Amino acid sequence: MTETPTTETPVPVAVPGAVPAPEDLAALVDVLFAEAGPGADRAELAEAARAAFGAERPRPLADAWWLAVPGESYLAAFEVLGLHDRVPVTVRGGEAAQLDDTKRVDGEVVHRVFVTPEYAGWRLVFAESPIGSCAWWPTTVAESLSAACGRAQVFYEDPHADAVIWVAAEGGAVVRSYWRASQPEWEGEPLPWEEVLTVDDFEDEDDFADVYQEPNASEVQSVQAAARHLSVDPGGIGPDTPVRGHGWLALTRAGAGHRGFGSPLKL
């Protein structure tokens, strides 16, 4: 008797997290050992770190503000952003570092910046204070990163201030951006995946003018929608998302040290 083939939804297979190279893992253990205090055992810390990296699985991340650069060229972003003294970090550790990302060294403000593993071909950069305050000016950062990495995007959303920004750049120039409440709000020509509404889509021409006052405007305004088309939406990362490598934690000043922030580095 011939069985009738059935179609079943494949069950996602968990991919083990990437353990850092020995020399990078040693740099992380140096930080953990210095923060652990008396009685700490370096070998135990190294084993705990290896286990933490190996247990990682892709999951949703915060999607309020971040940068995105291609995975194959992301290392150039460290120099462009002025990041130093990087050590490997788990995603949990990188996220926690953003909650206490600032300290002062010789009167200078120093920030911790989290660079994620590669998700679906993209590395995401989270820098709570520099991005959240636009100290890294969106268009300038996108242009500089894209000149070094080929492509780059900046995403920023603050619902309390009704601020929405997304910027896409290639080869050193912005190709498309939306910046709510700026003049103009839209820059560049609509990208192929954008739906551009016209006056014919509205019952009244005045209704169209109230919403779409610029000829190059489209319906894609949210940072999450733009990210899904341009690179990766952090909030949409899950078991099916291809992942490669591990995350990094870097500092905005060389030699500032990973100690002295509001909370110690976590695994």
Side-chain angles (χ1 to χ4, degrees):
M1 178 178 177
T2 303
E3 295 184 359
T4 302
T6 59
T7 302
E8 297 182 356
T9 301
V11 178
V13 177
V15 178
V19 177
E23 62 274 18
D24 294 323
L25 187 67
L28 170 61
V29 171
D30 287 343
V31 175
L32 298 174
F33 185 76
E35 292 181 329
D41 184 283
R42 190 180 294 271
E44 289 181 357
L45 290 172
E47 183 56 35
R50 281 190 288 267
F53 282 104
E56 288 205 297
R57 303 293 183 271
R59 57 173 175 76
L61 303 178
D63 57 359
W65 43 78
W66 71 96
L67 314 176
V69 291
E72 68 271 13
S73 56
Y74 86 100
L75 288 174
F78 287 93
E79 181 176 356
V80 171
L81 298 174
L83 303 180
H84 309 273
D85 303 334
R86 64 178 181 262
V87 295
V89 69
T90 62
V91 173
R92 175 178 175 269
E95 289 182 306
Q98 295 308 286
L99 300 178
D100 289 297
D101 72 325
T102 303
K103 70 174 182 178
R104 286 185 173 272
V105 176
D106 299 330
E108 179 183 342
V109 176
V110 180
H111 299 292
R112 299 195 281 196
V113 174
F114 171 43
V115 180
T116 71
E118 181 181 314
Y119 295 116
W122 292 85
R123 293 268 185 165
L124 309 182
V125 181
F126 291 90
E128 191 80 6
S129 295
I131 301 176
S133 65
C134 285
W136 288 357
W137 197 247
T139 52
T140 303
V141 168
E143 289 172 342
S144 299
L145 281 174
S146 70
C149 301
R151 290 182 290 169
Q153 296 117 38
V154 177
F155 303 95
Y156 173 64
E157 182 176 40
D158 184 348
H160 300 291
D162 194 31
V164 177
I165 302 168
W166 59 265
V167 181
E170 297 181 6
V174 172
V175 296
R176 183 65 163 155
S177 69
Y178 172 70
W179 193 319
R180 181 177 293 171
S182 68
Q183 294 294 329
E185 290 191 341
W186 296 88
E187 294 284 353
E189 293 302 314
L191 298 171
W193 44 265
E194 293 183 71
E195 180 183 355
V196 179
L197 301 181
T198 68
V199 67
D200 295 333
D201 295 305
F202 291 77
E203 293 184 1
D204 186 274
E205 184 173 344
D206 291 337
D207 293 338
F208 169 75
D210 288 341
V211 181
Y212 294 92
Q213 301 179 28
E214 300 172 26
N216 59 346
S218 85
E219 93 298 351
V220 182
Q221 298 181 4
S222 79
V223 295
Q224 292 80 15
R228 285 195 294 272
H229 290 285
L230 290 166
S231 51
V232 175
D233 173 15
I237 293 172
D240 293 329
T241 304
V243 60
R244 185 171 66 171
H246 56 75
W248 295 98
L249 193 68
L251 306 175
T252 56
R253 170 173 164 162
H258 286 271
R259 301 183 66 188
F261 289 89
S263 61
L265 184 58
K266 294 181 173 67
L267 290 176

